[in-house]
Amino acid sequence: MIKKFLIKAKALKPKLTTTEISVDADKTPLGDGDHTVLDFGDHFVGKVKIKFSFVGSPPDAPAFVKLKFCEHKSELDEDTTNYNGWISKSWIQEEYVHIDDIPSELKLERRYAFRYIRIDVINISSKYRLVAEKATVVSQTSAKNEVKPYGEDETAKKIDKVALRTLKNCMQYEFEDGPKRDRRLWLGDLRLQALANYETYNNYDLVKRCLYLFAGVSEKNGNIPACVFTRPRVIADDTFMFDYSLLFIPTLLDYFTATGDKATALELLPTALRQIEIAKENFDGDVVRDSDKLGWCFIDWSLELNKQCSAQAVYIFCEKSAIKLCSLLGVKTDELEEDVKRKTEAAISAFYDKSLNLFVSGKERQLSYASNIWMCLADVTGKENSINILARLENTDAIRPVTPYLYHHYIQALIDAGAVDKAKKTMYDYWDGMVDAGADTFWELYDPNNADASPYGSRAVNNYCHAWSCTPSYFIRKYFTGGKND
Ligand code: RAM
């Protein structure tokens, strides 16, 4: 823990903006086994109150009800009793409550992320029926301003509206990954949220707070954890990821580029550069270790993915960001430049398959979008080759991205290579698919061919509002502007 950084993070803790939204229920009298659904018409994050009354005789026994908060309508009828995912079932937003006094207003302590509330009456006396009258959410966010959906056409505007809401609802005391689950700050998510934030809500202090939180909880050796808990007090998670630690560097570079805040950049630069030194411990010579000896390197939620090649590329990408940041700050870059040159040459000789003209990964020489996307982002073979690599991939059975997180990187790689039209089409197809499937906010996972896709063994714990899916707002404003930014 570095106290002076955590003190700065604390001073930057935002005040949340709250808004009260109420909806009337359909007031159907509910007996044993009956249920009703309240629809708030959009996705909200906040605390909830529900007013109940009754019809019939005076209530002579409590009503025992189940409340289920759902982000997406498909969750309303999802049976979660036999949940067998590998992360805790406690993330599912279900409550079992006794209502003793009726009429009364039930005030729930937890914060929920939802559009719908399903109320099931489990047990009630036969002498009366329960009536749900009205529900209210005090919605909260640290986004200060409203941002008008923007886009060069209707599809872009439609996607942007949902992306803006995704970002806004993940903006709480930190940039959360998902307001339903895990409700905390992850580095990979932060980097993408910050990019979208610079084009939209411009809450620079929230990014600054998150940078100081990460730097403040770094290990004794300087290593930055993949995620931070802030409640009930600030504490680092014991999860470290090869890629996420390194991604602190471009996150700091982006922050400095957006704000010009040199004091912060200079203060956090040593922490950023330290990630390169620590990452080096995972190299044999200039080639990063294979996936099984590397520890966790995230890249994507595809469980079969070999990460070796992507890890090498992330390292190069981040080291190049470090060079840029140092140059902007007037810090010398000779050692970084020598190292990146060696790592780039090693990347080509270890991972570039000359017969395929594509990058492959691991002992099995696995072909994936991830490896090639990251090698293009790291600009290992130059822009012209990148455009060919990304085009060539399409006619192969390379492992495809499964999360909007890797889709983001795919789109960025296409843009960097100059394939802006293809990037736009890819973004429209993928994100508009979620809009068509009823997204009010964008999801953690979206596989157009498999509605049940989940890295957790059950989609009941998937998020339908997830940080890393908000970047259409960034792409649309920065690159797909109908010539406005050219
Ligand atoms: C998920 C989180 C987060 C991501 C990590 C790797 O559990 O929701 O978005 O960054 O995994």
Side-chain angles (χ1 to χ4, degrees):
M1 293 261 187
I2 303 175
K3 220 168 168 192
K4 63 172 183 181
F5 290 168
L6 293 181
I7 290 171
K8 288 206 170 167
K10 193 172 175 190
L12 292 159
K13 188 171 176 181
K15 288 214 166 45
L16 301 183
T17 306
T18 56
T19 320
E20 222 175 84
I21 298 103
S22 295
V23 294
D24 286 325
D26 67 3
K27 299 191 177 60
T28 316
L30 306 168
D32 262 359
D34 293 339
H35 79 268
T36 188
V37 172
L38 287 128
D39 179 359
F40 278 74
D42 209 336
H43 186 278
F44 291 97
V45 177
K47 293 199 176 177
V48 172
K49 308 179 265 193
I50 309 173
K51 270 195 176 147
F52 289 102
S53 65
F54 69 96
V55 291
S57 302
D60 59 336
F64 185 50
V65 301
K66 175 183 167 187
L67 306 170
K68 186 174 184 189
F69 295 83
C70 304
E71 297 188 292
H72 186 253
K73 58 180 178 306
S74 65
E75 293 172 278
L76 284 167
D77 297 320
E78 210 168 63
D79 181 7
T80 56
T81 41
N82 297 320
Y83 172 81
N84 60 358
W86 61 267
I87 58 173
S88 178
K89 187 180 178 183
S90 61
W91 283 118
I92 301 173
Q93 302 182 108
E94 291 176 336
E95 308 292 352
Y96 290 84
V97 187
H98 283 93
I99 308 171
D100 287 303
D101 302 323
I102 307 165
S104 64
E105 186 171 52
L106 175 70
K107 291 194 176 102
L108 293 142
E109 264 315 300
R110 277 196 98 211
R111 192 198 76 186
Y112 300 95
F114 69 100
R115 168 172 169 172
Y116 307 94
I117 307 174
R118 175 175 167 140
I119 303 171
D120 279 89
V121 173
I122 300 171
N123 300 116
I124 195 168
S125 155
S126 58
K127 293 193 70 177
Y128 77 100
R129 296 279 175 277
L130 186 69
V131 177
E133 293 279 343
K134 159 183 177 171
T136 303
V137 60
V138 182
S139 83
Q140 58 176 71
T141 175
S142 53
K144 291 192 191 75
N145 47 322
E146 280 303 323
V147 177
K148 226 176 118 212
Y150 170 77
E152 57 177 318
D153 54 40
E154 286 313 308
T155 311
K157 277 190 201 135
K158 201 165 53 148
I159 293 173
D160 188 46
K161 179 171 179 271
V162 178
L164 284 168
R165 193 154 191 102
T166 308
L167 178 58
K168 179 179 174 184
N169 287 2
C170 290
M171 287 170 73
Q172 300 295 330
Y173 289 116
E174 302 80 43
F175 282 100
E176 294 183 8
D177 62 332
K180 168 187 159 190
R181 197 222 83 241
D182 306 332
R183 302 169 167 223
R184 59 179 167 265
L185 175 62
W186 285 84
L187 225 164
D189 303 72
L190 168 64
R191 177 170 153 259
L192 303 195
Q193 284 169 301
L195 286 174
N197 173 53
Y198 302 141
E199 301 290 333
T200 54
Y201 297 108
N202 297 321
N203 192 337
Y204 303 119
D205 276 354
L206 193 63
V207 183
K208 185 172 171 181
R209 166 171 159 79
C210 294
L211 289 167
Y212 275 107
L213 279 171
F214 275 117
V217 298
S218 57
E219 291 278 278
K220 270 211 178 76
N221 71 352
N223 203 183
I224 296 180
C227 101
V228 184
F229 299 89
T230 52
R231 284 169 303 273
R233 62 196 166 82
V234 175
I235 179 174
D237 193 5
D238 54 4
T239 303
F240 290 83
M241 295 185 193
F242 179 88
D243 51 347
Y244 274 29
S245 298
L246 282 167
L247 289 169
F248 185 80
I249 307 168
T251 312
L252 185 59
L253 169 64
D254 295 339
Y255 171 77
F256 180 55
T257 311
T259 61
D261 177 357
K262 198 167 176 181
T264 298
L266 276 171
E267 186 165 41
L268 296 181
L269 184 67
T271 312
L273 296 178
R274 185 75 195 114
Q275 306 317 305
I276 296 179
E277 292 311 308
I278 293 165
K280 275 186 188 154
E281 292 164 17
N282 285 295
F283 279 76
D284 292 323
D286 287 313
V287 179
V288 77
R289 291 194 193 124
D290 203 353
S291 252
D292 51 342
K293 294 183 204 81
L294 185 61
W296 193 6
C297 177
F298 177 63
I299 307 296
D300 197 16
W301 263 129
S302 165
L303 300 179
E304 52 179 334
L305 195 63
N306 182 291
K307 319 273 178 81
Q308 187 187 18
C309 178
S310 306
Q312 178 102 10
V314 169
Y315 178 95
I316 296 168
F317 174 84
C318 293
E319 194 164 38
K320 286 185 173 175
S321 299
I323 292 170
K324 197 160 173 202
L325 184 57
C326 286
S327 313
L328 290 168
L329 295 171
V331 174
K332 73 175 183 46
T333 57
D334 314 2
E335 277 176 36
L336 292 169
E337 284 183 51
E338 274 166 38
D339 185 56
V340 87
K341 195 166 168 271
R342 282 202 309 275
K343 297 291 187 289
T344 303
E345 282 161 13
I348 295 171
S349 56
F351 303 113
Y352 195 71
D353 183 308
K354 290 204 182 99
S355 61
L356 294 172
N357 279 317
L358 289 168
F359 286 93
V360 293
S361 186
K363 276 190 290 297
E364 312 288 332
R365 303 192 70 71
Q366 184 191 71
L367 184 58
S368 69
Y369 271 71
S371 301
N372 287 281
I373 288 167
W374 273 107
M375 282 294 175
C376 291
L377 289 170
D379 198 21
V380 164
T381 55
K383 194 168 162 173
E384 223 160 87
N385 281 317
S386 291
I387 207 165
N388 293 331
I389 285 171
L390 295 170
R392 228 174 267 132
L393 264 184
E394 287 180 48
N395 308 315
T396 66
D397 56 2
I399 297 173
R400 298 190 62 85
V402 299
T403 57
Y405 179 75
L406 189 53
Y407 263 93
H408 164 91
H409 292 104
Y410 180 35
I411 290 161
Q412 185 73 64
L414 287 164
I415 292 169
D416 292 356
V420 179
D421 288 344
K422 169 79 185 164
K424 188 156 84 179
K425 187 180 179 320
T426 307
M427 192 198 84
Y428 279 29
D429 286 352
Y430 188 69
W431 269 269
D432 202 27
M434 282 187 258
V435 177
D436 282 346
D440 300 302
T441 45
F442 286 125
W443 310 344
E444 177 178 16
L445 257 295
Y446 174 58
D447 179 348
N449 302 313
N450 177 12
D452 287 328
S454 171
Y456 310 115
S458 165
R459 69 170 202 179
V461 288
N462 285 6
N463 281 332
Y464 291 91
C465 176
H466 202 82
W468 65 30
S469 308
C470 72
T471 55
S473 292
Y474 153 78
F475 289 122
I476 286 169
R477 283 177 184 72
K478 188 157 185 193
Y479 303 105
F480 309 150
T481 58
K484 202 179 111 232
N485 284 0
D486 295 350

